[in-house]
Amino acid sequence: MNHMQVVTVSRIVNYELNMLTPFKYDILVETPWMVPIVWEGTFNSELLHEHFQLQNVTIGLAVFAIKELLIFLKLFLETAEEYFMEGYRMKYYIFTDKPESVPLIQLKRGRQMVILEIQSHAHWQNLSMYRMERISTFSRLRFIREVDYLVCADVDIKFWNHVSVEILSSLFGTLHPGFIGRRRDSYDYERLPQSQAHIPVNEGDFYYTGAFFGGSVLEVYKLTKFCHQAMMVDQAHNIKSMWHDESYLNKYLLYHKPTKVLSPEYMWDKNLLKLPVFAKMDARRELVQKITKQSLKDKDF
């Protein structure tokens, strides 16, 4: 008796690749440890969608909206619904001290909003430490069972254009646009030797923003757990880092290299930063922009 049967497998469309055609802009597209730096034009969206749709992934987007930051949440959610992970299952994890004030947004099919009530903190240093603690705790207890990837974002940003699975990797960080083209000894690393976030002047790869990072739930758990524990040690010794959780994030990513790095296109601020020469691309995208309360008052969006 023949017990063999034909097995069918999903087929990814093969696109023609021209290895002799260089990226046309003179910018860094790979890190020294050989992982990609994602710029517009360096990836094939259709091929990536084929790959991640076969994996049937669910993405989580975690954001903190407490105290006066709650004013930014509506615009954040509206632009995320329009531009972030279109066509994929998603869960918005909204950490807030005012659940009743979370705006009602019409979500697309396959997308859910999860409101997680948390305490408010009077000082921003305590808030940034609490943010890392909450993300690490919920990653271990809940997120690991609900999503495949977790993206952590500041609430005072808006999405300008499509941000999709090209950002997904085991662990990704985003280059801070304010430090592009600068020497590493001018980065805003924590220079106090006693701090757990300390990075010596002769060390460092890139300076990452704390406003947009993520990866697999396990890797985000490891990162946020380190940041929280390191901040606890410094607090016990009355040490305040220069840029709160961002300082510890940079320390972690220096010694635990990200598997993908996002270009500053993903966190540009056209109102505060002049456009550097190398970024004047034909297809340059301002994907996410930090916004201010004044821009909301002026309806400048």
Side-chain angles (χ1 to χ4, degrees):
M1 181 180 295
N2 186 359
H3 295 285
M4 299 180 66
Q5 61 181 1
V6 176
V7 177
T8 59
V9 295
S10 300
R11 177 177 177 269
I12 295 180
V13 177
N14 290 312
Y15 297 90
E16 182 179 5
L17 302 177
N18 189 342
M19 299 298 291
L20 298 180
T21 302
F23 187 59
K24 67 177 181 177
Y25 302 108
D26 187 19
I27 56 176
L28 191 65
V29 296
E30 186 178 74
T31 70
W33 58 96
M34 300 182 69
V35 304
I37 301 176
V38 182
W39 296 84
E40 174 68 12
T42 61
F43 57 88
N44 186 307
S45 297
E46 294 182 10
L47 186 60
L48 286 171
H49 284 305
E50 289 271 359
H51 172 71
F52 282 99
Q53 284 172 357
L54 284 176
Q55 294 187 33
N56 198 28
V57 297
T58 300
I59 300 104
L61 180 57
V63 62
F64 274 63
I66 68 171
K67 301 169 66 174
E68 61 266 29
L69 291 177
L70 194 60
I71 191 175
F72 299 110
L73 184 58
K74 185 174 186 293
L75 182 60
F76 176 89
L77 292 172
E78 289 175 342
T79 57
E81 270 299 283
E82 184 174 1
Y83 293 120
F84 188 73
M85 297 295 168
E86 185 177 4
Y88 290 89
R89 289 196 310 274
M90 257 198 64
K91 286 182 181 287
Y92 293 101
Y93 293 116
I94 301 172
F95 292 87
T96 182
D97 58 341
K98 297 180 179 178
E100 70 283 357
S101 299
V102 173
L104 297 178
I105 301 296
Q106 184 65 41
L107 301 181
K108 298 175 183 177
R109 182 179 179 182
R111 299 159 86 94
Q112 301 175 13
M113 185 184 299
V114 180
I115 300 174
L116 303 170
E117 187 172 5
I118 58 173
Q119 298 175 351
S120 180
H121 285 267
H123 303 290
W124 289 111
Q125 184 184 29
N126 292 336
L127 173 60
S128 64
M129 181 169 64
Y130 187 48
R131 175 195 185 203
M132 290 299 184
E133 186 276 327
R134 289 288 81 190
I135 293 174
S136 65
T137 297
F138 274 88
S139 292
R140 176 173 57 87
L141 298 179
R142 178 170 183 170
F143 301 161
I144 194 73
R145 296 183 283 105
E146 297 183 351
V147 297
D148 301 294
Y149 294 93
L150 183 66
V151 178
C152 304
D154 281 0
V155 70
D156 57 337
I157 63 176
K158 64 177 177 179
F159 295 85
W160 280 98
N161 211 322
H162 293 285
V163 178
S164 193
V165 291
E166 79 274 2
I167 74 172
L168 298 181
S169 184
S170 180
L171 179 64
F172 75 81
T174 304
L175 299 182
H176 194 301
F179 296 90
I180 301 301
R182 290 172 55 176
R183 293 169 53 91
R184 69 179 179 184
D185 58 8
S186 69
Y187 291 171
D188 277 350
Y189 291 149
E190 178 55 58
R191 300 303 188 188
L192 184 66
Q194 294 82 2
S195 173
Q196 297 296 306
H198 172 248
I199 296 177
V201 176
N202 62 343
E203 294 186 24
D205 302 312
F206 303 107
Y207 190 87
Y208 301 95
T209 175
F212 201 64
F213 64 91
S216 69
V217 179
L218 177 60
E219 291 303 322
V220 172
Y221 165 71
K222 292 177 182 178
L223 183 155
T224 52
K225 180 182 178 182
F226 164 82
C227 291
H228 173 244
Q229 291 181 341
M231 295 170 82
M232 288 284 288
V233 172
D234 278 356
Q235 185 183 59
H237 293 87
N238 200 29
I239 296 173
K240 297 181 180 180
S241 63
M242 180 179 292
W243 292 111
H244 307 306
D245 52 348
E246 186 172 270
S247 297
Y248 299 90
L249 179 140
N250 273 275
K251 174 67 173 285
Y252 185 88
L253 293 180
L254 175 58
Y255 299 113
H256 303 80
K257 304 296 189 191
T259 52
K260 186 174 286 185
V261 174
L262 305 187
S263 76
E265 292 175 302
Y266 286 84
M267 191 50 63
W268 199 255
D269 189 334
K270 68 178 181 180
N271 295 323
L272 300 178
L273 299 167
K274 293 181 179 180
L275 189 64
V277 175
F278 65 81
K280 292 182 179 178
M281 306 178 184
D282 297 334
R284 189 182 66 83
R285 300 183 300 174
E286 289 167 341
L287 299 172
V288 184
Q289 181 201 11
K290 293 284 280 186
I291 57 179
T292 64
K293 292 181 183 178
Q294 189 60 47
S295 70
L296 281 173
K297 294 176 182 177
D298 296 340
K299 302 297 183 182
D300 184 24
F301 53 84

